[in-house]
Amino acid sequence: MKQVTSQHDVQPEKVGSITIGRALPNAAAKFVGPIMMLDHLPRRVIAPGEIPEPDGSFAHPHRGIATFSYVLEGGLVHADSTGGYGTISAGGVQWMKAGNGIVHDEMLPADLRKNGGTTHCFQFWINLPAKNKAEPAAYMPAPTEDLPVAALPSGQASLKALLGTYEGNRSPIPTYANEFIWHVRIEPMGSARVDLPRGLHAAGFLPGQGAIVGGTGVAAQRLFFLDEDGAEVEIVNASADPLDVLLFGGEPILEPVASRGPFVMNTEAELNDAFREFREGKYGQITYPPEVA
């Protein structure tokens, strides 16, 4: 049975007008397999008109990574310089391979900005192997109905494969280093045993409430790392409310990493090229669809 080796509080970060919690990287680790960042926008109620209308000022570039967003409540709109555009609602995910360069923007849907409502979401950054950093950028949304859900043996929990595969249940989103992101939901006073791939780095995050993981109490809003022994982890929900747990990890990419701002490459020279080509306009510009307004 896997054990918790350490656990860590999130660090507050300002993203535009919203404060998020950055769970990864932290003082203990820069990566979990190829996953190098996890940002959490905790559940919050948006008042009508609280969020300003998008004006393109949040648009920003990426290169050398894939971004992966998961919406628990509310929605998220994506637009990018390759013409990629989509809206995902509660339970859906979106993946963007930055590849050799892209500019993208992420916004709350117009109805949520206008009428108010609840939002709760996550974003991961995933390092790409060198060969995939040179590929053209791509975008792919997946609504909740396209993401497989497996019942766990206890009968008290389920696992949704957001990325990767669980016992033959495969997410449609591409992977490069056996990376996985799973959403485990455990019923009140229930428990679950989750099989984890042997030989892969693994961690988890508790966005809403604490739990007992591998016999260790882990508080809410904490990232926890799992050891490499055993093939499964037991998670116990001692609360009267359903418990949400994100489990994620993958195979380390054993290549040099050079990162600065929104770019993750293999050398400083490649980073310099990434910034130069962005300044030269080679990543293109976003043409916003009328329905974004």
Side-chain angles (χ1 to χ4, degrees), residues 49-74:
E50 175 186 350
I51 303 299
E53 293 300 300
D55 59 5
S57 60
F58 186 66
H60 55 281
H62 286 296
R63 184 163 170 172
I65 61 170
T67 64
F68 183 92
S69 301
Y70 177 42
V71 174
L72 267 183
E73 297 182 77

Side-chain angles (χ1 to χ4, degrees), residues 87-94 140-148 160 172-173:
T87 299
I88 55 170
S89 55
V93 304
Q94 65 181 9
M140 181 179 180
T144 186
E145 55 266 26
D146 290 351
L147 301 170
K160 187 175 186 178
I173 303 294

Side-chain angles (χ1 to χ4, degrees), residues 214-266:
T216 298
V218 180
Q221 292 285 306
R222 277 193 164 178
L223 175 81
F224 58 87
F225 294 97
L226 296 170
D227 64 20
E228 297 187 18
D229 296 330
E232 65 179 9
V233 60
E234 182 181 52
I235 306 170
V236 177
N237 178 14
S239 138
D241 297 310
L243 174 72
D244 293 304
V245 187
L246 291 182
L247 295 175
F248 59 92
E251 182 180 347
I253 297 175
L254 302 178
E255 298 172 344
V257 175
S259 64
R260 194 187 319 148
F263 303 137
V264 181
M265 306 303 292
N266 298 110

Side-chain angles (χ1 to χ4, degrees), residues 14-53:
K14 197 78 170 178
V15 178
S17 62
I18 296 176
T19 299
I20 56 92
R22 180 153 293 163
L24 187 74
N26 57 41
K30 293 183 177 180
F31 287 86
V32 178
I35 297 173
M36 60 184 302
M37 194 185 81
L38 168 55
D39 282 351
H40 176 219
L41 173 59
R43 186 180 190 274
R44 61 173 288 187
V45 177
I46 304 293
E50 175 186 350
I51 303 299
E53 293 300 300

Side-chain angles (χ1 to χ4, degrees), residues 6-290:
S6 64
Q7 51 182 296
H8 309 270
D9 293 324
V10 301
Q11 299 301 313
E13 293 280 344
K14 197 78 170 178
V15 178
S17 62
I18 296 176
T19 299
I20 56 92
R22 180 153 293 163
L24 187 74
N26 57 41
K30 293 183 177 180
F31 287 86
V32 178
I35 297 173
M36 60 184 302
M37 194 185 81
L38 168 55
D39 282 351
H40 176 219
L41 173 59
R43 186 180 190 274
R44 61 173 288 187
V45 177
I46 304 293
E50 175 186 350
I51 303 299
E53 293 300 300
D55 59 5
S57 60
F58 186 66
H60 55 281
H62 286 296
R63 184 163 170 172
I65 61 170
T67 64
F68 183 92
S69 301
Y70 177 42
V71 174
L72 267 183
E73 297 182 77
L76 193 63
V77 180
H78 166 98
D80 68 52
S81 56
T82 72
Y85 171 73
T87 299
I88 55 170
S89 55
V93 304
Q94 65 181 9
W95 168 90
M96 183 189 76
K97 180 179 67 174
N100 61 8
I102 195 171
V103 178
H104 80 139
D105 201 349
E106 292 172 299
M107 303 147 281
L108 294 182
D111 61 340
L112 185 56
R113 298 194 308 270
K114 179 180 178 181
N115 302 319
T118 304
T119 184
H120 187 184
C121 58
F122 308 85
Q123 186 172 91
F124 295 81
W125 284 15
I126 303 168
N127 187 29
L128 292 174
K131 64 181 181 180
N132 303 111
K133 293 180 189 294
E135 294 175 345
Y139 167 72
M140 181 179 180
T144 186
E145 55 266 26
D146 290 351
L147 301 170
V149 178
L152 297 178
S154 67
Q156 302 167 311
S158 62
L159 184 149
K160 187 175 186 178
L162 310 177
L163 182 69
T165 303
Y166 186 78
E167 294 187 345
N169 299 284
R170 177 178 291 277
S171 163
I173 303 294
T175 59
Y176 299 94
N178 293 317
E179 60 264 36
F180 63 92
I181 301 173
W182 300 333
H183 176 189
V184 178
R185 167 62 69 95
I186 304 176
E187 296 303 315
M189 308 304 292
S191 65
R193 289 195 174 191
V194 181
D195 289 322
L196 289 160
R198 289 186 180 271
L200 301 185
H201 293 179
F205 182 67
L206 294 168
Q209 63 192 54
I212 301 169
V213 183
T216 298
V218 180
Q221 292 285 306
R222 277 193 164 178
L223 175 81
F224 58 87
F225 294 97
L226 296 170
D227 64 20
E228 297 187 18
D229 296 330
E232 65 179 9
V233 60
E234 182 181 52
I235 306 170
V236 177
N237 178 14
S239 138
D241 297 310
L243 174 72
D244 293 304
V245 187
L246 291 182
L247 295 175
F248 59 92
E251 182 180 347
I253 297 175
L254 302 178
E255 298 172 344
V257 175
S259 64
R260 194 187 319 148
F263 303 137
V264 181
M265 306 303 292
N266 298 110
T267 67
E268 285 295 319
E270 290 174 343
L271 275 181
N272 291 336
D273 288 342
F275 276 96
R276 176 180 52 78
E277 291 181 14
F278 169 62
R279 290 192 296 267
E280 292 173 351
K282 293 185 177 179
Y283 298 176
Q285 293 183 332
I286 301 173
T287 299
Y288 291 89

